Amino acid sequence: MRLNSQDIHTRFRRHAVRVTRQRAAIYQALAETTSHPTANELYQTVKRQHPMISRNTVYYTLGVLRQAGLVQEVNVGHEVARFDGNVTVHHHLICLGCSQIVDVMDEALNQLAVSDGQARGFRILGHRVEFHGYCAGCQRAKLDAPQRSRQEH
Amino acid sequence: MRLNSQDIHTRFRRHAVRVTRQRAAIYQALAETTSHPTANELYQTVKRQHPMISRNTVYYTLGVLRQAGLVQEVNVGHEVARFDGNVTVHHHLICLGCSQIVDVMDEALNQLAVSDGQARGFRILGHRVEFHGYCAGCQRAKLDAPQRSRQEH
DNA sequence: GTCATTGCAAAGGATTTGCAGTTCC
DNA sequence: GGAACTGCAAATCCTTTGCAATGAC
């Protein structure tokens, strides 16, 4: 989603986040994609507009935005952290072939609960569902080269 | 679950894993606990029996056991890798206070599926559900010291 | 005997920390 | 003006890699 700087300013203020050019650029980059980029990918993107920006600022900013609730962190296995500008409740499809992450918006999944018998006294605040499989492209690739072994974790 | 060395031997052979004392000790340590230890915790535990063992061996072995399907890796956010000797299909409760991980065995959760409309051509092989909340102990601790701010990720 | 496994040391990679200078409010 | 943010460099932590010696089958 394309945001103008006014939108960003308003959002940041509403979440009590100080506005700086670097932050706006990082948030903008995240809002414009659905690809769940890593901190480093965001750094590379933002560097085109702000050649002087440091990785540290990207990490620091992502931390600030996350705590403010403007950004979500998505973790797949132990790969590097990936970020999501979509902060509505949703879940993910993860491709075991190419590691792409696709958003799943499904009200039924949002309603999941643990049975009392299994809850062990926990007070549950939220949950997260990941589906693992192969995307259309990787299924085709597998048919073309079915002999290659694959490591799934 | 307590396993004798005969059990371990049999299991390893069935999964085509070479038997060594170190491997047996690592697997034993994992089978005996439900606490989802990290590689380093396993290293510390096993070192009591095998003072000469190296961290590398623990990592390498966990990789071998994982690929053989004898061990599962559980990832919570970006914390370090944690391992689970329970390889049946199940899900997890995660405490945001003390980071403990508790197994959830629930047939309904095992049956989840993505609606066709959301599947985007993926062929789904499995899924994983994490519930996030506070365990009984951490709920009490929060009542005792409610002023302390908490960072949740 | 052969090849996988082990242990040691060093490298790698993502993220965090310390700190001085700068910027936002 | 003061606190928060930025950029740079160095540190930290988990995990992987290279390699020679050892051990399983």
Side-chain angles (χ1 to χ4, degrees):
Chain A
M1 176 173 30
R2 194 77 239 253
L3 299 171
N4 64 40
S5 68
Q6 188 50 229
D7 296 334
I8 293 180
H9 210 85
T10 308
R11 263 186 220 195
F12 278 24
R13 298 306 274 273
R14 197 182 311 147
H15 290 258
V17 171
R18 264 201 195 179
V19 184
T20 68
R21 299 197 200 99
Q22 292 90 336
R23 286 179 177 191
I26 292 166
Y27 185 66
Q28 178 74 263
L30 201 48
E32 270 176 19
T33 181
T34 59
S35 76
H36 306 79
T38 65
N40 192 53
E41 285 163 357
L42 287 167
Y43 169 66
Q44 300 297 342
T45 301
V46 170
K47 201 160 63 163
R48 290 203 285 271
Q49 310 286 334
H50 297 267
M52 295 302 293
I53 199 171
S54 80
R55 255 192 203 79
N56 186 351
T57 299
V58 176
Y59 278 107
Y60 183 80
T61 297
L62 287 170
V64 169
L65 296 179
R66 173 160 47 72
Q67 284 181 33
L70 284 164
V71 149
Q72 247 187 343
E73 204 176 317
V74 185
N75 301 288
V76 182
H78 271 118
E79 290 170 16
V80 303
R82 298 175 64 164
F83 295 88
D84 194 342
N86 177 357
V87 290
T88 62
V89 176
H90 67 281
H91 304 280
H92 295 105
L93 290 172
I94 293 154
C95 180
L96 298 169
C98 63
S99 297
Q100 76 169 295
I101 301 178
V102 177
D103 289 336
V104 175
M105 321 290 274
D106 181 326
E107 196 48 37
L109 293 178
N110 298 349
Q111 305 296 336
L112 284 189
V114 204
S115 63
D116 286 348
Q118 294 277 345
R120 310 288 198 87
F122 269 64
R123 191 158 60 82
I124 305 294
L125 300 180
H127 63 274
R128 194 173 278 217
V129 186
E130 284 174 13
F131 290 92
H132 300 162
Y134 289 93
C135 70
C138 287
Q139 288 173 56
R140 277 195 298 277
K142 234 174 153 181
L143 288 176
D144 295 345
Q147 69 287 3
R148 174 116 41 89
S149 85
R150 282 161 192 282
Q151 293 188 28
E152 302 167 16
H153 62 262
Chain B
M1 175 174 30
R2 194 77 239 254
L3 299 171
N4 64 41
S5 68
Q6 189 51 231
D7 297 332
I8 293 180
H9 209 85
T10 308
R11 266 188 216 192
F12 279 22
R13 297 305 274 273
R14 197 181 312 148
H15 291 258
V17 171
R18 264 198 197 183
V19 185
T20 68
R21 299 198 201 96
Q22 293 92 331
R23 289 181 173 189
I26 292 166
Y27 185 67
Q28 178 72 265
L30 201 48
E32 271 176 18
T33 181
T34 58
S35 76
H36 306 79
T38 65
N40 192 53
E41 285 164 357
L42 287 166
Y43 169 66
Q44 300 298 341
T45 302
V46 171
K47 200 160 65 163
R48 290 202 286 270
Q49 312 285 335
H50 298 266
M52 295 302 293
I53 199 172
S54 79
R55 255 190 204 79
N56 186 350
T57 299
V58 176
Y59 278 106
Y60 182 81
T61 297
L62 288 170
V64 170
L65 295 178
R66 173 160 49 69
Q67 284 182 33
L70 285 164
V71 150
Q72 247 187 342
E73 205 175 317
V74 185
N75 301 289
V76 183
H78 270 120
E79 291 168 16
V80 302
R82 297 175 64 165
F83 295 87
D84 194 340
N86 177 357
V87 291
T88 62
V89 177
H90 67 283
H91 304 280
H92 294 106
L93 290 171
I94 293 156
C95 180
L96 299 170
C98 62
S99 297
Q100 75 168 296
I101 301 178
V102 176
D103 289 336
V104 175
M105 320 291 273
D106 180 328
E107 196 46 38
L109 293 178
N110 298 350
Q111 304 296 336
L112 284 190
V114 204
S115 63
D116 285 348
Q118 294 277 344
R120 312 287 198 87
F122 270 65
R123 191 158 59 83
I124 304 294
L125 300 180
H127 64 273
R128 193 173 278 215
V129 186
E130 286 175 11
F131 291 92
H132 300 158
Y134 288 93
C135 69
C138 287
Q139 287 173 57
R140 278 196 297 278
K142 237 176 155 182
L143 288 176
D144 295 345
Q147 69 286 4
R148 173 118 40 90
S149 85
R150 280 161 191 284
Q151 293 190 28
E152 301 166 15
H153 66 259

